[in-house]
Structure formats: structure tokens, C-alpha cells
Amino acid sequence: MTKPIAALKGTVTGTVIAAHGRHYLVQAGEKKLQCVTRGKKSDVAVGDIVKLNLTSPNQGVIEEITERKTLLYRSDQYKSKLLAANVTQLFIVVATEPGFTDDLVSRSLVAAEAAGVAVHIILNKIDVVASLERTRKRVALYGGLGYPVHEVSATAQPEETVAALMPLLEGQSTILIGQSGMGKSSIINLIIPDADIAVREISAALDTGKHTTTFTRLYTMDENTSIIDSPGFQEFGLYQLTEGMLERAFPEFEQYLGKCKFYNCHHSNEPECAIRTAVAAGDIAPMRHALYLQLLHESSQKLY
């Protein structure tokens, strides 16, 4: 529990609800505080529970990040980009149009598996019937791996969309990710009617001007429920994952791990590899195996 306004003296505890560069907005009780970290540290994520020292009635310095339950982040060769902390589930939003990339969806799934975060795939814009069946076939691959798929149309069927998603959100801390154009903002606006107002307030507090879509922000729905909206992005690097983490992040690999001829098999070109045998038999999708090999290559290239 965060402290009420009356207790906002000295050191307080709050939740990071937005981040832009090294500037953070922290919700402490009913008060929003503009915060920075000491020095050049920028390892704070939206969703973090932090302890801070007040420097004025509306400002503070973050001194400590309390222990995280989960952390979602992406990384390239050079640095990491924190997405959110303490989330319990991830909604990957895809749509019938514009087309989504399987690479981004698959990488998001791997990141969630590695972080211990549950996943739901939200197929939006099902009113666009011309491309619906083709999109359903693409999404069916992920449904076959055990990830629930929910079909909605935020614009054409708003009430049905709310009815479908609200039971999934209750009692959870959920982050929405997806490429630009998938309809994330439409879904957020349905679930959080005052989202646009909140974004303007946060943007003003963080002094981001018109760049309201370039930062991640958290909306509190009730004491046990929150939803985090993230900027649309096209790439999802996972350079931080080790080989062991990677192979365990593909649920379809699980039954074959430990059954290769060589105990240190990389599942690339080794003889009598159980994973490659399963791919050849059609039990593992070639696209997924190819992604695994690509991620394995990337993890060997990191420079930080």
C-alpha cells in the first residue's frame, strides 16, 4: 500500500506510473510526484514500487527499487530497454489490418516466457472480414502452443470488447504491446475512459510536450488491477537471454529437451538432435525453430 497524502514527508513509497528518459512520475497515495534518480542511473521501470526522498511537495529522488516480482525488457547489442516491472500478464495486440509481423509476436512470447509472465493474444479488428480468415490461420499457430487467443473489435464492437477483456484484467497487472496500428489505443480508451486526459496530465508532468505516445504509462483500475500501455515498436531484441533461457522459453521444445545425442546440443546442425527431428516431423514449426537459432546467434553478439 502507498502512503496517504498526509504521510508524504521525508521518505515515501510509491508506484512508477510513467517514465520518459530519466524522468519518472510516481503515484504515492493520491499524489503524483515528479522524480529523478541519483546520477545517471536509469534502471527504473514503469510498475516499479520505489522508495524516494521528497525534495519538494511535488518532487522527489528515487533512492531504492523494491524487489520485483517480474521484469519485462528488450535489448540489443548495446543496451537494454525496460518495458515494465511487476506485471503478471502480457496482452499482445495484433489485427487483421495492417498486417502484423510474426517475428515481433514470437519474440514477445519468448520474453514473457523468460520473465514468467502469462500471455494472451488479442486479435483486434475482426470486423475486417476480408482478411479475417487469413489472420486467424496465422494466429492459430500461437493458439496451438497454448496461448489463449481472444477476438475483439474495439471500434466496431466496443461493448463486446469490454465484456471479453474485463474478466481477464481483473486482479492482474497487464501490459499491452504491439506494433503501431494494431488498435492498442482504442482498447485502452475503452477500458480506461479517461485515458486521454491522464496521458495529457502525465505528458505535462514529464514535460514531454506533444510526444504523448513515446512513453510507457500505468493506469490503476482498482486496488488489485492495473493496465500498462507501451509505445508501438517494430523490433524486440532479446540479446539478454542465455542459451539455456532461450530453449526453455519455447514451450514446444520442452518434451524434447535432454533427448538429443549430445548433452550440449545447440539444436542447429548436430546429428541426432531431438529438436531438429521434431521440426522435420512437423511437430515444431520451422518458423519457431528458425527464430530460436536467430536469437541464439544474437545472444552471442551482445557487447554489454
Side-chain angles (χ1 to χ4, degrees), residues 24-87:
Y24 305 92
L25 200 62
V26 175
Q27 186 84 44
E30 297 178 10
K31 200 171 184 66
K32 292 181 176 66
L33 305 170
Q34 300 175 42
C35 297
V36 295
T37 53
R38 291 207 179 275
K40 295 184 178 181
K41 292 178 64 177
S42 58
D43 55 350
V44 180
V46 170
D48 267 327
I49 309 298
V50 296
K51 294 181 180 180
L52 55 96
N53 280 327
L54 291 180
T55 54
S56 77
N58 298 306
Q59 296 178 317
V61 176
I62 295 172
E63 302 286 358
E64 180 184 345
I65 303 169
T66 64
E67 185 176 358
R68 293 160 168 157
K69 296 176 182 176
T70 59
L71 178 65
L72 269 176
Y73 65 105
R74 55 196 179 107
S75 61
D76 58 22
Q77 282 178 281
Y78 308 101
K79 61 181 180 180
S80 296
K81 175 71 174 178
L82 304 183
L83 293 176
N86 299 315
V87 295

Side-chain angles (χ1 to χ4, degrees), residues 260-279:
C260 300
K261 180 177 180 179
F262 299 102
Y263 76 93
N264 59 346
C265 184
H266 303 299
H267 319 307
S268 56
N269 54 16
E270 296 87 349
E272 297 183 45
C273 166
I275 299 291
R276 292 176 60 225
T277 300
V279 173

Side-chain angles (χ1 to χ4, degrees), residues 203-218:
S203 182
L206 291 177
D207 196 26
T208 59
K210 296 180 180 178
H211 304 294
T212 55
T213 59
T214 61
F215 58 85
T216 302
R217 59 268 192 189
L218 179 150

Side-chain angles (χ1 to χ4, degrees), residues 132-170:
L132 179 57
E133 288 307 315
R134 182 173 68 252
T135 308
R136 277 175 171 161
K137 289 180 181 178
R138 292 179 63 193
V139 172
L141 166 65
Y142 308 110
L145 295 174
Y147 300 108
V149 177
H150 310 273
E151 297 189 357
V152 300
S153 183
T155 302
Q157 301 169 1
E159 292 181 2
E160 293 88 339
T161 298
V162 171
L165 299 184
M166 284 303 292
L168 305 176
L169 295 167
E170 291 176 1

